[in-house]
Amino acid sequence: MTSENTESRTVHEYPDFVPRQRFQPTLALSPDAQTVAYSSNAGGNFDLWVVPSAGGEARQVTRLTDQTVRRIAWAPAGKSLVFAADREGDEQYRLYRVGLDDETPTELAPGPDCQRVLAFDPFDESGRFLVYAANDRDLTVQDLLVRDLSDDVERRIVPPQGVIFEPAGISPDGRWVLTAGFRTNSDIAAYLVDLTDPDSTAVCVTAEHGRGLFIPGPWAPDSTGFYLRTDVWGEFTCAARYSLLEGALEPVAQHDWDVEHVDAAGETLLWSVNEGGRSILHARRRDADLAFPALPQGVITSVALAASGDLIVVLIDSATRPSEIGVLGPAAGFRYLTDATPAAFHVVDPVEPEVITYPASGGRQVPALFYRPRTPGPHPVLLSIHGGPERQERPVYVCSGLYQYLLAQGIAIFAPNIAGSTGYGITHQSLIHRDWGGIDLDDLGHALRHLHTDPGIDADRIAVMGGSYGGFAALSCLARLPHSWIAGVSLCGPTNLVTLARACPPTWKAYVAAVLGDPDADTAHLTENSPITHADVVSTPLFILQGARDPRVPKTESDHFVTRLRDRGVDARYDVYPDEGHGFTNRNNELKAYGDIAQFLSGHLSLNSAERP
């Protein structure tokens, strides 16, 4: 690594900060624990790859031209894999099976375009039955399907009204199918279907505990129960076990933070905890806690546990090293299986964020990540808003290196976890329900006030950026928060909450009504909080990016917003990607988009007051 003075003199381009490859958040460990399967864009698209768990050369299994591998599972014999893939980001997933030496995947459950959701553990132990969900019967309903691969006959289980099924897996004894029933992100129940009874319907086994979070996870190896994550006992999500014999729910791991992953194998229970944004791994065997070798600080986005319980595979991301696959064993410790280190890191020390809080209305404290450049200040700053809104800004390698590139240009990043963010308790998360553009915007206003009090920040040079919900929030800042913004970026950001609610994927209707609002009953409120309503106030240079095939945010929303701005002579750049949906699946598109954003932001934020147009 170079000294700080040498680093400050070095000029870097955005591509120098781009990881060599990116991964979808899905991992699968073969039944013999010898091979890890994953989805990587090293070949241009997100294809299926495999790598030996002991280390070695990775191999590309599929060569898809316009599809993205989203979820992967091994067949029990370990000779083939199944995966779900959509086309150009349209979120219409199809299911495929492929052998390790096959040239072309075979489609399972073919039919019209629809949203097919593969279970996390989709096979029974014999490999005969495959579990998934689909809205092929009714676009507004996501049924549970059990497919007999020996004759392609399917059994269909219809969910209760307003519930979206997403299956977890089949019990080891083959009797039960376990599935989640979603109403909203904070209202998820666990259901069981008895496969031995052809007339059995789905039974909600968590109903007696009321509404809340009951996210089903892995089965206990003896089929007497299953593990799940729940907030039934407090603000934070804990790990629990449901017993089929007693019909009882009991906690097995409770912390003052959210449990984010749970896995089980043999006598080993594995879980990770989101402590202030970073993942802390825990394990227990026969009621005794297991000690782990050191794991790199970061965020675990996917985890797989070997059947023996002695090998753990993680997909781990951090602010200073892009997402990578690594393995953890009791003897060998931790080692990476991949290396996506950007070229710039040979001469630049990447920046870790500070974890801070700032005051907001009602006496609340809002958590935030604050990235400060290594060069002397005061610095211009980018206010970066995460998507969701029920997601969390965490210390990961954001936007394919965009944060670290801007930091190297002397631009600070302030990334708050405003009302609606996950990770800080269900009360904080639910504050935004049916109030998009309300309490969240108030929190962003307090973020601005906080930045104005920081002597290391040039408060006259503040830009705002976000994607998806974050794009909506960024546009809301420009339209409704009085400040002399330098620039704004919206990536797939909604501009009209009414049309957003009406155009959402059909299976999301009940969820959207509960979390965002009903487009008919709440028209006035949604209209008032929509950026398009206040578009005539925006005069800041703006960059909007949109996927033409976006199934969540209609392209027409961005079209109308840009037209309103350009009619008044506002500097509005508008880039539409015809082969993308809600975000980027093609590597070349992604790098062009973030490279253009990098140039746009650094160009505007690097100008001093006298140089501004």
Side-chain angles (χ1 to χ4, degrees):
M1 296 295 180
T2 64
S3 69
E4 184 172 305
N5 289 337
T6 304
E7 180 186 327
S8 67
R9 296 196 303 268
T10 305
V11 176
H12 301 283
E13 301 297 330
Y14 165 71
D16 297 331
F17 293 85
V18 172
R20 297 177 192 174
Q21 62 181 317
R22 286 212 308 117
F23 304 89
Q24 290 289 311
T26 181
L27 286 176
L29 183 60
S30 61
D32 62 6
Q34 298 298 304
T35 308
V36 181
Y38 59 97
S39 175
S40 163
N41 69 352
N45 291 319
F46 283 101
D47 273 291
L48 174 62
W49 292 69
V50 293
V51 65
S53 60
E57 186 175 352
R59 183 165 68 86
Q60 186 173 349
V61 177
T62 63
R63 298 184 183 274
L64 308 175
T65 56
D66 58 357
Q67 290 179 283
T68 295
V69 174
R70 301 285 190 178
R71 188 174 290 180
I72 304 166
W74 285 89
K79 304 297 184 183
S80 63
L81 300 108
V82 294
F83 63 91
D86 64 340
R87 178 168 280 106
E88 295 181 340
D90 65 0
E91 300 183 11
Q92 301 297 295
Y93 307 110
R94 291 184 175 272
L95 307 182
Y96 300 89
R97 187 168 192 164
V98 64
L100 293 180
D101 298 316
D102 292 351
E103 293 185 1
T104 305
T106 300
E107 186 171 2
L108 302 173
D113 281 347
C114 70
Q115 187 166 333
R116 298 173 179 87
V117 179
L118 188 66
F120 282 96
D121 190 8
F123 287 100
D124 71 326
E125 289 198 338
S126 71
R128 175 179 172 181
F129 294 101
L130 179 79
V131 179
Y132 68 101
N135 64 338
D136 56 329
R137 177 184 61 85
D138 181 337
L139 290 179
T140 66
V141 180
Q142 197 158 282
D143 298 337
L144 180 71
L145 293 123
V146 182
R147 189 175 189 89
D148 188 335
L149 297 178
S150 67
D151 57 12
D152 285 336
V153 172
E154 289 186 333
R155 176 177 175 181
R156 183 181 298 270
I157 298 94
V158 177
Q161 186 174 2
V163 172
I164 300 170
F165 275 163
E166 185 166 330
I170 300 176
S171 59
D173 63 6
R175 178 175 179 180
W176 303 98
V177 175
L178 174 64
T179 183
F182 284 77
R183 294 186 185 272
T184 71
N185 284 343
S186 55
D187 185 359
I188 304 170
Y191 290 79
L192 286 175
V193 177
D194 187 350
L195 292 181
T196 64
D197 180 359
D199 299 319
S200 173
T201 58
V203 176
C204 181
V205 294
T206 54
E208 66 180 87
H209 299 284
R211 302 279 278 267
L213 202 67
F214 302 91
I215 305 174
W219 280 92
D222 59 4
S223 298
T224 59
F226 59 87
Y227 295 96
L228 70 159
R229 291 181 293 127
T230 179
D231 61 1
V232 69
W233 293 295
E235 277 286 303
F236 295 97
T237 304
C238 74
R241 186 182 188 277
Y242 180 84
S243 169
L244 270 66
L245 300 177
E246 291 89 18
L249 186 66
E250 62 175 354
V252 295
Q254 289 182 289
H255 302 263
D256 291 331
W257 298 96
D258 284 338
V259 172
E260 57 185 357
H261 299 286
V262 181
D263 206 346
E267 296 179 308
T268 302
L269 179 67
L270 176 76
W271 70 97
S272 68
V273 180
N274 173 357
E275 293 191 9
R278 289 182 170 86
S279 299
I280 306 298
L281 202 60
H282 300 264
R284 185 180 300 145
R285 182 176 295 163
R286 293 188 295 273
D287 297 326
D289 291 340
L290 299 181
F292 283 118
L295 188 71
Q297 276 202 346
V299 175
I300 296 172
T301 56
S302 188
V303 63
L305 178 64
S308 65
D310 292 328
L311 184 70
I312 302 164
V313 182
V314 295
L315 188 58
I316 189 165
D317 198 353
S318 73
T320 57
R321 178 163 181 164
S323 187
E324 303 272 24
I325 300 172
V327 295
L328 182 66
F334 178 82
R335 66 186 186 280
Y336 283 109
L337 295 180
T338 58
D339 183 3
T341 307
F345 284 10
H346 295 295
V347 292
V348 173
D349 283 323
V351 175
E352 286 275 3
E354 304 172 41
V355 180
I356 71 157
T357 60
Y358 66 89
S361 298
R364 293 182 301 114
Q365 292 287 317
V366 176
L369 299 184
F370 205 162
Y371 297 77
R372 296 181 185 270
R374 298 187 183 280
T375 53
H379 300 105
V381 62
L382 173 65
L383 176 61
S384 182
I385 309 168
H386 67 70
E390 292 173 272
R391 285 177 54 192
Q392 183 183 7
E393 183 77 28
R394 304 181 71 177
V396 296
Y397 201 73
V398 178
C399 299
S400 288
L402 180 62
Y403 277 17
Q404 295 296 337
Y405 166 78
L406 294 175
L407 286 160
Q409 311 307 307
I411 299 168
I413 314 289
F414 190 79
N417 280 301
I418 55 177
S421 302
T422 57
Y424 304 96
I426 192 63
T427 299
H428 186 72
Q429 178 180 339
S430 59
L431 286 172
I432 200 173
H433 287 183
R434 302 175 72 88
D435 193 28
W436 290 29
I439 191 170
D440 50 341
L441 190 61
D442 187 65
D443 281 0
L444 291 167
H446 281 85
L448 269 181
R449 296 185 185 96
H450 177 79
L451 291 172
H452 276 76
T453 67
D454 192 312
I457 293 300
D458 181 353
D460 290 329
R461 291 189 291 166
I462 301 179
V464 63
M465 178 187 78
S468 189
Y469 160 79
F472 158 81
L475 295 174
S476 297
C477 285
L478 299 178
R480 300 177 59 202
L481 285 184
H483 178 75
S484 297
W485 300 94
I486 293 299
V489 176
S490 171
L491 174 61
C492 300
T495 67
N496 187 324
L497 297 181
V498 177
T499 59
L500 176 70
R502 287 182 174 148
C504 70
T507 54
W508 291 20
K509 293 293 185 183
Y511 162 78
V512 167
V515 173
L516 173 59
D518 186 284
D520 297 317
D522 303 318
T523 304
H525 177 69
L526 295 174
T527 300
E528 174 57 27
N529 284 13
S530 295
I532 190 69
T533 304
H534 309 277
D536 291 342
V537 176
V538 178
S539 58
T540 304
L542 182 60
F543 187 8
I544 291 180
L545 300 93
Q546 176 73 43
R549 295 171 62 85
D550 193 331
R552 307 186 192 187
V553 179
K555 173 180 171 291
T556 52
E557 289 197 29
S558 294
D559 292 344
H560 294 158
F561 198 84
V562 170
T563 298
R564 290 274 296 275
L565 297 185
R566 288 177 174 173
D567 284 348
R568 294 188 296 109
V570 176
D571 178 8
R573 176 174 175 176
Y574 185 33
D575 287 3
V576 177
Y577 287 80
D579 56 346
E580 295 285 7
H582 198 66
F584 297 102
T585 57
N586 179 279
R587 181 173 173 81
N588 290 333
N589 288 345
E590 178 184 55
L591 298 187
K592 181 184 184 308
Y594 287 126
D596 290 344
I597 292 171
Q599 290 183 358
F600 177 83
L601 288 172
S602 61
H604 283 283
L605 286 167
S606 296
L607 297 177
N608 62 38
S609 299
E611 295 172 318
R612 289 180 204 147

